[in-house]
C-alpha cells in the first residue's frame, strides 16, 4: 500500500511540475533557441502521448508556434525533423498550418543534409500533416532524397514507403529506384509492423499513376525486386502476424499481385495469410471495410492464371498444399462477417462485394473419400428397410 501511494505521489508531482513549467514557458519562450524550441515541442508531444491528454493550453502553444515561425530558417536538420514529428504526434492542433509551411521550407533547404532517420521521420510527419502541406515544397524534398534513401534501415524504409503512399503525388523515379534497391536488401530484417507498413505503402504507390508519368500498370517497374523481398519476408512472418494486420496485408498483396510474377507467385503467401486468419479468428475483429476489402483481395488473388506454354522448374517458394482449405474457410468466414454488417454496408461496399462474389471460384465439392461412406450408409439403410 505504501509503495502504491508513493507511486501516486510521484505521478502527481510530475503533473504539477509540467503545469508549472508550461506557465514559465510563456515568460521565457522569446529567448528560446531553435534547439530549445524543437526539444520543447518534442517533449510536449511525448508527455501528451503518455498522459493521454495535452499538458498545455492553446495559448501556450501559440506562443511557441510564433517563435518557431520566426526562427525556422535557423533550424538544423535534426531540429526540423524533431519539430515536424512533434506536430504530427500532437495531431489537429489549431494554428499549425503556418508552422508546417515554414518548417517544410526549411526541410527543402536542408534536405540534402538529412541523415536517413531525419529524412524518414520528416516524411512520416509530413504525411500525417499532408492537409497542410505545400506540394511544391514536398517535390523539392523528394528530389534530394535518393542518396539518403540508399542507406535506410528497415524501419526507415517502411516509414518512408508508408508516407509516400499517403502523399498522392508524383514521386521521382530516382527515389523509387533507390527504395526498391534498398528494400530488396533490408527486407529480410523487417519486423511485422514494418512489413505491414511497407506492403501498404508499396501497394498504394504501385497502383497509383502518381508514381510516374506513365499508366499505373507500367509504373511498377521499380518495385519488382522489392516485391520479391517483401513476399519472402511475409512468408517467414505470416505465422506470427497479429489478427489486425491480416486484412491490410491481404489488400496490399492483391494490389501488388500484377508486379513481378503475377498471381501464381502470390499463392504461398495467400495460403499462409489465410491459415493465420483462421488460427486467430481474425474475421471476428474485422471492421466492415476490412471484411469487404479482404473478400475483394481473395477474389483478385484467386483469379485463374494463364496456361503456361512450358513447364518451368519447380520453385520452392511456389510449393502449396493442394488440400489446403484455409482460403475457402476464410472466404466463408468473411461472407458471414459481411452478412452481419449488411445493414451498414455503403453503396461502394455492395458493389465491391458483388464483384468479389462473381470472381471467386465456386465452392469445392465434398472430398471424394466421403462419397463411398455415404453410399454405404444409404445401402445399409435400404437393407434394414
Amino acid at each position: 500500500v505504501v509503495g502504491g501511494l508513493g507511486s501516486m505521489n510521484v505521478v502527481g508531482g510530475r503533473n504539477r511540475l509540467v503545469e508549472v513549467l508550461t506557465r514559465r514557458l510563456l515568460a521565457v519562450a522569446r529567448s528560446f533557441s531553435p534547439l530549445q524550441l524543437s526539444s520543447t515541442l518534442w517533449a510536449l508531444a511525448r508527455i501528451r502521448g503518455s498522459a493521454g491528454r495535452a499538458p498545455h493550453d492553446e495559448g501556450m502553444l501559440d506562443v511557441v508556434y510564433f517563435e518557431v515561425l520566426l526562427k525556422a530558417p535557423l533550424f538544423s536538420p535534426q531540429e526540423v525533423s524533431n519539430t515536424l514529428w512533434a506536430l504530427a504526434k500532437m495531431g489537429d492542433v489549431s494554428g499549425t498550418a503556418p508552422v508546417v509551411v515554414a518548417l517544410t521550407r526549411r526541410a527543402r533547404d536542408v534536405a540534402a543534409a538529412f541523415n536517413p532517420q531525419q529524412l524518414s521521420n520528416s516524411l512520416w510527419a509530413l504525411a500525417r500533416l499532408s492537409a497542410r502541406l505545400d506540394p511544391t515544397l514536398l517535390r523539392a524534398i523528394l528530389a534530394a532524397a535518393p542518396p539518403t534513401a540508399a542507406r535506410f534501415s528497415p524501419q526507415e524504409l517502411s516509414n518512408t514507403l508508408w508516407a509516400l503512399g499517403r502523399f498522392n503525388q508524383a514521386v521521382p523515379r530516382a527515389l523509387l529506384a533507390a527504395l526498391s534497391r534498398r528494400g530488396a536488401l533490408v527486407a529480410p530484417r523487417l519486423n511485422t509492423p514494418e512489413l505491414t507498413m511497407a506492403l501498404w505503402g508499396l501497394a498504394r504507390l504501385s497502383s497509383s499513376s502518381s508514381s510516374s508519368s506513365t499508366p499505373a500498370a507500367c509504373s511498377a517497374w521499380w518495385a519488382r525486386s522489392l516485391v520479391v523481398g517483401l513476399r519472402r519476408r511475409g512468408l517467414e512472418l505470416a505465422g506470427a502476424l497479429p489478427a489486425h494486420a491480416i486484412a491490410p496485408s491481404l489488400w496490399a498483396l492483391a494490389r501488388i499481385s500484377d508486379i513481378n510474377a503475377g498471381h501464381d507467385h502470390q499463392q504461398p503467401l495467400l495460403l499462409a495469410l489465410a491459415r493465420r486468419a483462421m488460427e486467430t479468428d481474425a474475421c471476428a475483429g474485422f471492421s466492415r471495410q476490412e471484411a469487404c476489402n479482404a473478400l475483394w483481395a481473395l477474389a483478385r488473388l484467386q483469379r485463374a492464371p494463364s496456361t503456361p506454354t512450358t513447364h518451368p522448374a519447380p520453385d520452392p517458394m511456389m510449393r502449396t498444399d493442394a488440400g489446403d482449405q484455409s482460403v475457402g474457410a476464410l472466404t466463408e468466414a468473411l461472407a458471414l462477417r459481411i452478412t452481419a454488417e449488411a445493414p451498414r454496408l455503403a453503396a461502394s461496399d455492395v458493389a465491391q462485394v458483388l464483384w468479389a462474389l462473381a470472381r471467386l471460384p465456386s465452392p469445392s465439392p465434398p472430398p471424394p473419400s466421403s462419397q463411398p461412406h455415404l453410399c454405404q450408409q444409404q445401402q445399409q439403410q435400404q437393407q434394414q428397410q
Side-chain angles (χ1 to χ4, degrees), residues 293-308:
N293 285 350
L295 191 67
W296 171 86
L298 291 183
R300 183 169 169 80
L301 289 166
Q302 293 182 86
R303 192 169 66 189
S306 57
T307 303

Side-chain angles (χ1 to χ4, degrees), residues 211-267:
S211 60
S212 86
S213 59
T214 59
C218 302
S219 66
W221 58 269
W222 61 273
R224 291 170 184 165
S225 60
L226 178 55
V227 167
V228 172
L230 293 180
R231 191 180 66 235
R232 290 181 180 273
R233 186 56 174 162
L235 278 171
E236 294 170 353
L237 295 178
L241 205 65
H244 65 81
I246 292 173
S249 297
L250 284 170
W251 176 86
L253 186 64
R255 296 285 290 215
I256 64 174
S257 60
D258 290 328
I259 302 174
N260 191 56
H263 293 72
D264 294 349
H265 286 252
Q266 310 295 336
Q267 294 306 305

Side-chain angles (χ1 to χ4, degrees), residues 19 34 39 50 67 90 93 100 108 143 161 167 206 208 215 226 246 252 274 301 326 360:
E19 293 174 3
S39 299
S50 61
E67 294 301 318
M90 286 192 287
V93 179
V100 172
R108 174 201 58 194
L161 285 172
F167 285 139
S206 62
S208 171
L226 178 55
I246 292 173
L301 289 166
S326 297
L360 283 164

Side-chain angles (χ1 to χ4, degrees), residues 43-363:
L44 290 174
R46 289 290 298 265
I47 294 170
R48 178 181 185 176
S50 61
R53 58 181 179 83
H56 46 253
D57 56 47
E58 297 299 325
M60 183 272 294
L61 280 178
D62 288 341
V63 171
V64 177
Y65 292 159
F66 181 74
E67 294 301 318
V68 173
L69 281 172
L70 292 177
K71 298 167 184 174
L74 304 176
F75 275 34
S76 70
Q78 185 66 59
E79 292 156 2
V80 170
S81 177
N82 284 353
T83 307
L84 285 171
W85 179 91
L87 294 176
K89 290 294 285 186
M90 286 192 287
D92 295 327
V93 179
S94 62
T96 58
V99 181
V100 172
V101 172
L103 289 169
T104 308
R105 288 199 186 102
R106 184 57 178 165
R108 174 201 58 194
D109 296 340
V110 301
F114 276 144
N115 65 31
Q117 184 182 33
Q118 293 162 358
L119 175 62
S120 173
N121 286 351
S122 296
L123 290 176
W124 176 88
L126 289 173
R128 293 283 298 266
L129 300 164
S130 56
R132 288 154 277 179
L133 185 60
D134 183 338
T136 304
L137 295 175
L138 176 62
R139 283 195 292 272
I141 296 169
L142 297 180
T148 308
R151 297 180 283 126
F152 275 165
S153 69
Q155 182 180 15
E156 293 155 0
L157 175 82
S158 64
N159 283 349
T160 301
L161 285 172
W162 179 88
L164 295 178
R166 288 266 306 230
F167 285 139
N168 192 32
Q169 74 169 60
V171 178
R173 285 179 172 245
L175 178 55
L176 295 175
L179 289 170
S180 184
R181 288 192 295 268
R182 186 59 179 169
L185 292 175
V186 304
R189 295 189 280 126
L190 291 169
N191 61 30
T192 300
E194 292 164 354
L195 174 68
T196 305
M197 289 181 67
L199 281 171
W200 186 90
L202 176 61
R204 291 270 300 192
L205 278 172
S206 62
S207 61
S208 171
S209 59
S210 66
S211 60
S212 86
S213 59
T214 59
C218 302
S219 66
W221 58 269
W222 61 273
R224 291 170 184 165
S225 60
L226 178 55
V227 167
V228 172
L230 293 180
R231 191 180 66 235
R232 290 181 180 273
R233 186 56 174 162
L235 278 171
E236 294 170 353
L237 295 178
L241 205 65
H244 65 81
I246 292 173
S249 297
L250 284 170
W251 176 86
L253 186 64
R255 296 285 290 215
I256 64 174
S257 60
D258 290 328
I259 302 174
N260 191 56
H263 293 72
D264 294 349
H265 286 252
Q266 310 295 336
Q267 294 306 305
L269 184 51
L270 169 61
L271 289 175
L273 290 173
R275 292 189 195 105
R276 183 60 178 168
M278 299 310 297
E279 291 170 358
T280 59
D281 192 21
C283 290
F286 283 175
S287 68
R288 168 188 56 80
Q289 189 62 61
E290 288 172 336
C292 294
N293 285 350
L295 191 67
W296 171 86
L298 291 183
R300 183 169 169 80
L301 289 166
Q302 293 182 86
R303 192 169 66 189
S306 57
T307 303
T309 56
T310 59
H311 298 281
D315 180 354
M317 291 290 294
M318 292 293 299
R319 293 177 185 167
T320 61
D321 181 1
D324 195 300
Q325 301 298 311
S326 297
V327 175
L330 177 57
T331 301
E332 293 303 309
L334 287 170
L336 292 174
R337 179 63 180 153
I338 296 170
T339 300
E341 293 287 332
R344 290 170 288 279
L345 294 178
S348 58
D349 299 327
V350 173
Q352 182 184 38
V353 171
L354 285 173
W355 181 93
L357 292 174
R359 295 293 295 268
L360 283 164
S362 301

